[in-house]
């Protein structure tokens, strides 16, 4: 299936979820914020949030500072 990942087309197998996508991108355990179709998805929901054809995913690295 094809999704939009950070504004670019991205192909992945049917049935993937956000946790799968983060693992594929080697971002598991990293401090990232994930937005799916303009809604923030809490980290606790990544593994159970299914992706569908045409979804728009934005992943932003969280950077601490002070």
């Amino acid at each position: 299936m094809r999704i939009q990942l950070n504004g670019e087309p991205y192909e992945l197998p049917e049935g993937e979820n956000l946790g799968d996508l983060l693992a594929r991108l080697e971002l598991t355990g990293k401090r990232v914020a994930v937005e799916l179709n303009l809604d923030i998805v809490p980290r606790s929901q990544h593994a159970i949030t299914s992706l569908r054809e045409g979804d728009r995913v934005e992943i932003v690295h969280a950077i601490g500072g002070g």
Side-chain angles (χ1 to χ4, degrees), residues 29-50:
K30 306 279 184 178
R31 292 182 51 134
V32 294
V34 181
E35 182 182 277
L36 174 62
N37 300 323
L38 303 177
D39 291 320
I40 299 292
V41 180
R43 180 177 300 208
S44 63
Q45 301 293 306
H46 290 176
I48 60 172
T49 301
S50 298

Side-chain angles (χ1 to χ4, degrees), residues 10-63:
Y10 189 85
E11 287 281 337
L12 67 161
E14 291 288 332
E16 295 269 300
N17 62 46
L18 280 178
D20 298 328
L21 176 61
L22 292 173
R24 183 179 296 277
L25 298 171
E26 298 181 2
L27 295 174
T28 302
K30 306 279 184 178
R31 292 182 51 134
V32 294
V34 181
E35 182 182 277
L36 174 62
N37 300 323
L38 303 177
D39 291 320
I40 299 292
V41 180
R43 180 177 300 208
S44 63
Q45 301 293 306
H46 290 176
I48 60 172
T49 301
S50 298
L51 293 169
R52 293 176 180 79
E53 180 78 26
D55 277 346
R56 301 179 74 92
V57 179
E58 296 289 328
I59 301 174
V60 179
H61 292 270
I63 299 176

